[in-house]
Amino acid sequence: MTVLDLALGAVVGRAQLHDSVGGRRQTAISPSSREPLILLFVGPEQGHPRLEGWGDDGCFHYVGEGRGDQQMTQGNRAIRSHREAGRELHLFQSAKRGFCRYLGQFRLAETTPWYSADAPDTDGSMRSVIVFRLEPVGATVREGASLPRTPKDAPEVRTWSASEPGWEWSPGADERPGGKPVAGLELAYARYLEAQGCVVKRAEIIPPGEAGRMVVDLFDVTGNRLIECKRSVTRQSIHAAVAQLLDHRRFLAPTPLLVVLVPGRPRDDLVNLCSSLMIEVVWPDEEGGFMSSFD
């Protein structure tokens, strides 16, 4: 048996497949030393559900290999150079244990053949990964996940009401699963601004060439103020807020004013840091209102 003998959609034992054409038995990217083939395997065990799958560009987006920040070495390099090396790419979807389904032959896209994205490593720490865009060669089986978002050439910005039900999240880590903010401070400030007649939105920004989104905590549309909330007044938190605001600001027009929202007044040096960058700092007072470093 060779890979080319397989019917589209056929389920084959992975051990049997390697007995026939060679290749590494435990890796997701498996170049054969016997045939001009590279076998690619995808499935839940790879752990990239939001980055790996069919895009609306007709390509299968495939995450490379390697721990930490991925480099264009080993299997990743084999995919990148498969055309020059005369090697075919054949994609398999994990089926039941020890078996995989043949999805067909692919090739690396000529336009934007790969891009970078952020994804968790096996220990949960974030790192940069390589995502290859694989074009079908002839008929393929369109099986497996579809990407929630396919990277675009231009940035995308989406807004919705800050008062929309279900946007709260119970207090926890700074990471916001599903883009939901820490409940309490943001909600209180949103209602405070709305009581003054301001239109307050939530927003997400998808940079060009990326599938991941950046979540904007609050956007005061009326005052054109971009607001980043942190639940601590430590230097680390203020630094993170400043970096996020400067990153997000690039995608909004007209250029918004910047605000750091925190649970209490930071120490003078951190307030001065923000002031030097023309960033307002806002925190709650004892009477249910809010105070500003610009007052």
Side-chain angles (χ1 to χ4, degrees):
M1 182 189 73
T2 69
V3 170
L4 298 181
D5 292 330
L6 287 174
L8 289 175
V11 175
V12 61
R14 180 158 178 179
Q16 179 188 6
L17 183 63
H18 290 298
D19 287 343
S20 175
V21 299
R24 300 193 296 264
R25 296 171 182 263
Q26 303 298 325
T27 60
I29 302 174
S30 181
S32 171
S33 58
R34 286 188 260 157
E35 303 284 349
L37 307 170
I38 301 174
L39 310 181
L40 307 177
F41 298 90
V42 62
E45 65 274 11
Q46 270 74 65
H48 302 291
R50 298 187 64 82
L51 295 177
E52 203 160 51
W54 291 97
D56 58 22
D57 55 2
C59 292
F60 192 95
H61 294 238
Y62 185 82
V63 176
E65 67 178 10
R67 297 189 64 177
D69 289 345
Q70 291 183 352
Q71 307 296 322
M72 197 63 75
T73 58
Q74 301 184 29
N76 299 331
R77 182 171 56 199
I79 294 177
R80 182 192 65 181
S81 60
H82 83 96
R83 289 176 183 264
E84 296 86 343
R87 287 181 152 187
E88 298 175 355
L89 303 179
H90 293 268
L91 183 62
F92 294 83
Q93 171 76 41
S94 294
K96 58 185 178 180
R97 183 176 178 85
F99 289 81
C100 51
R101 187 181 306 277
Y102 179 46
L103 301 189
Q105 183 180 343
F106 292 75
R107 65 189 170 207
L108 198 59
E110 292 189 7
T111 303
T112 314
W114 67 85
Y115 57 93
S116 297
D118 294 338
D121 209 337
T122 53
D123 61 0
S125 59
M126 294 302 292
R127 44 62 179 276
S128 177
V129 299
I130 299 168
V131 185
F132 295 100
R133 293 178 63 243
L134 305 181
E135 296 177 340
V137 176
T140 56
V141 176
R142 194 179 176 92
E143 182 174 303
S146 294
L147 295 181
R149 296 179 182 83
T150 303
K152 302 293 193 299
D153 293 334
E156 299 178 75
V157 179
R158 185 175 74 91
T159 63
W160 64 95
S161 172
S163 299
E164 187 173 304
W167 71 283
E168 300 174 56
W169 184 49
S170 58
D174 282 339
E175 292 295 326
R176 298 163 172 80
K180 297 178 182 178
V182 177
L185 186 55
E186 287 128 322
L187 182 60
Y189 192 51
R191 290 176 175 169
Y192 172 80
L193 292 174
E194 288 172 340
Q196 299 180 50
C198 297
V199 175
V200 185
K201 298 280 189 179
R202 293 270 291 146
E204 66 179 15
I205 301 168
I206 305 172
E210 295 193 15
R213 66 178 185 171
M214 302 187 296
V215 177
V216 174
D217 288 340
L218 294 173
F219 181 52
D220 174 6
V221 178
T222 305
N224 193 28
R225 297 162 71 241
L226 185 62
I227 303 161
E228 177 66 28
C229 179
K230 294 298 177 188
R231 58 190 188 92
S232 170
V233 294
T234 63
R235 186 174 297 274
Q236 181 180 14
S237 292
I238 300 301
H239 283 183
V242 168
Q244 288 170 286
L245 287 169
L246 295 176
D247 193 5
H248 296 172
R249 180 176 65 180
R250 300 177 298 134
F251 301 98
L252 299 173
T255 302
L257 303 173
L258 304 181
V259 180
V260 175
L261 175 63
V262 284
R265 188 185 189 282
R267 54 188 183 270
D268 289 346
D269 182 59
L270 296 175
V271 173
N272 292 337
L273 166 66
C274 292
S275 297
S276 71
L277 298 169
M278 298 302 295
I279 297 176
E280 180 184 8
V281 182
V282 172
W283 63 93
D285 61 23
E286 297 179 354
E287 300 176 354
F290 285 86
M291 302 186 68
S292 168
S293 61
F294 282 5
D295 291 341

